[in-house]
């Protein structure tokens, strides 16, 4: 099979690798029909994480089950499915909460070395009854692909931001997760969402979806717009030192900063005294993907939550290197890349 592989900063290629085998009697093999390039994949591409060996990339996959283990109950060969980007054992008390992050054995993420990469012709998925969901009627391929990670992450970011009804939120970073968080913040009762980025095209896109665009760094502008108080909540979908500092400086006393961006491996100099004195709540979240599905799927099917326009570019798998270069440009025209094996 073909698989997208990275072996160093900026070095993406499509390799031929052996077809995967069933990862146990509870696993499935999925023929991937659509895979997303995620902002967190770019940490490998940008060289933020060291690579001892080439890594098969990708953790967002939609496809068809082509082989299923004998004890798999919820899906069968021929079903179109989406695969949670975050995997757990599916059997422990932590996984019983439907949050793989709480797995007693520790979470695993596709496309990070622990499991195979989703940007491939085939993907082996362990514990399929926990990791995989048959795509419901009325859910498009793009919606399903967002449900595997980006929408679940943006939704969890808004949930954990303690947004009061009628309150104000700042969303820092208007990539796919940030745009999902923007729309989720409105769903959670925000009256005003400040949309923060440095790229004009992304600011314009957020404005078209109801956000109030502000160029970063945004703290001064946000304080000015809120009478010096700050927003009730901040969602940081970037998690650089600069964005985290901007978030902490933009939130009001007693407010919440909800971080879903992926930081690099360097320590962040947290202004702990200021956070203490101002009673700031800081939450950092890897999305409980499976737990969000019962909430998000009905909203998408009913048309109450709109995620159209987040995928901006579709490329065949063989052009993955071009897709990564496009995503790494972080332009206003290209928000999220979809690869089609």
């Amino acid at each position: 099979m073909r698989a997208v592989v990275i072996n160093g900063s900026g070095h993406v290629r499509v390799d031929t690798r052996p077809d995967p085998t069933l990862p146990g009697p509870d696993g499935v093999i999925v023929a991937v029909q659509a895979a997303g390039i995620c902002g967190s994949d770019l940490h490998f591409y940008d060289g933020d994480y060291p690579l001892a060996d080439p890594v098969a990339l990708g953790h967002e996959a939609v496809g068809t089950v082509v082989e299923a283990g004998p004890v798999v109950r919820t899906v069968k060969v021929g079903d179109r499915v989406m695969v949670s980007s975050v995997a757990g054992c599916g059997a422990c008390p932590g996984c019983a909460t439907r949050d793989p992050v709480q797995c007693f054995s520790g979470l695993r993420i596709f496309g990070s070395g622990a499991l195979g990469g989703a940007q491939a012709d085939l993907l082996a998925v362990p514990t399929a009854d926990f990791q995989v969901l048959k795509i419901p009627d009325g859910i498009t391929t793009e919606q399903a692909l967002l449900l595997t990670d980006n929408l679940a992450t943006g939704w969890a970011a808004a949930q954990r931001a303690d947004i009061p009804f009628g309150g104000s939120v700042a969303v820092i970073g208007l990539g796919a997760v940030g745009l999902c968080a923007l729309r989720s913040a409105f769903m959670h009762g925000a009256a005003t969402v400040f949309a923060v980025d440095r790229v004009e095209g992304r600011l314009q896109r957020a404005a078209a979806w109801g956000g109030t665009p502000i160029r970063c760094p945004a703290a001064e502008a946000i304080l000015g717009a809120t009478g010096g108080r700050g927003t009730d909540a901040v969602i940081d979908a970037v998690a650089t030192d600069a964005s985290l500092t901007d978030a902490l400086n933009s939130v009001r006393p007693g407010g919440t900063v909800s971080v879903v961006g992926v930081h690099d491996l360097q320590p962040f100099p947290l202004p702990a005294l200021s956070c203490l004195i101002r009673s700031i709540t800081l939450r950092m979240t890897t999305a409980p993907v499976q737990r969000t599905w019962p909430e998000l799927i009905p909203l998408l099917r009913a048309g109450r939550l709109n995620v159209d326009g987040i995928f901006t570019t579709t490329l065949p798998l063989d052009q993955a290197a071009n897709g990564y270069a496009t995503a790494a440009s972080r332009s206003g025209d290209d928000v999220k890349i979809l690869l089609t094996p």
Side-chain angles (χ1 to χ4, degrees):
M1 71 168 189
R2 297 169 301 162
V4 178
V5 172
I6 188 164
N7 62 350
S9 177
H11 295 135
V12 166
R13 66 179 188 269
V14 178
D15 262 2
T16 299
R17 292 197 162 191
D19 289 355
T21 57
L22 274 178
D26 59 355
V28 297
I29 302 294
V30 174
V32 179
Q33 296 172 339
I37 296 178
C38 181
S40 56
D41 292 328
L42 295 180
H43 280 284
F44 293 108
Y45 189 82
D46 293 336
D48 294 334
Y49 300 151
L51 296 173
D53 297 298
V55 171
L57 290 169
H59 52 263
E60 303 170 356
V62 166
T64 300
V65 176
V66 294
E67 188 177 357
V71 302
V72 176
R73 303 183 312 276
T74 58
V75 295
K76 63 184 184 301
V77 171
D79 284 344
R80 290 190 69 242
V81 298
M82 53 191 183
V83 182
S84 170
S85 57
V86 187
C89 74
C92 70
C95 287
T97 69
R98 304 298 295 167
D99 181 359
V101 176
Q102 298 188 39
C103 179
F104 283 22
S105 300
L107 67 86
R108 294 183 293 168
I109 300 174
F110 289 94
S112 62
L115 296 171
Q119 295 163 13
D121 289 314
L122 298 169
L123 180 65
V125 184
T127 324
D129 290 333
F130 183 65
Q131 257 74 253
V132 167
L133 182 70
K134 183 178 178 180
I135 298 175
D137 292 340
I139 296 296
T140 68
T141 296
E142 291 188 356
Q143 288 173 334
L145 201 52
L146 289 171
L147 283 165
T148 67
D149 180 9
N150 289 173
L151 180 55
T153 300
W155 184 258
Q159 281 185 323
R160 289 171 58 81
D162 300 326
I163 302 168
F165 285 102
S168 59
V169 182
V171 176
I172 300 177
L174 302 176
V177 170
L179 291 173
C180 288
L182 181 147
R183 295 187 176 190
S184 298
F186 282 123
M187 290 292 297
H188 281 82
T192 302
V193 178
F194 297 103
V196 181
D197 206 290
R198 61 168 56 90
V199 179
E200 182 60 31
R202 296 189 176 197
L203 291 168
Q204 292 176 3
R205 184 175 281 106
W209 293 342
T212 301
I214 295 179
R215 287 186 174 274
C216 56
E220 183 177 350
I222 287 173
L223 292 173
T226 57
R229 183 160 175 77
T231 55
D232 296 302
V234 178
I235 296 170
D236 184 354
V238 182
T240 61
D241 285 3
S243 69
L244 289 166
T245 299
D246 211 18
L248 293 170
N249 289 337
S250 297
V251 72
R252 67 165 172 80
T256 298
V257 174
S258 176
V259 181
V260 288
V262 180
H263 197 262
D264 60 26
L265 298 178
Q266 302 304 312
F268 170 64
L270 177 72
L273 180 58
S274 172
C275 293
L276 173 73
I277 292 172
R278 298 170 60 226
S279 295
I280 302 302
T281 297
L282 175 62
R283 292 199 171 107
M284 310 188 81
T285 303
T286 297
V289 177
Q290 291 89 325
R291 197 165 71 196
T292 69
W293 288 343
E295 300 167 345
L296 289 170
I297 289 170
L299 291 171
L300 290 168
R301 295 177 74 183
R304 294 288 304 279
L305 180 59
N306 179 11
V307 292
D308 293 345
I310 290 177
F311 282 100
T312 52
T313 306
T314 299
L315 295 171
L317 187 73
D318 287 334
Q319 294 184 26
N322 292 337
Y324 269 88
T326 298
S329 73
R330 296 172 172 86
S331 75
D333 296 327
D334 302 291
V335 175
K336 188 164 180 67
I337 313 296
L338 187 151
L339 299 175
T340 56

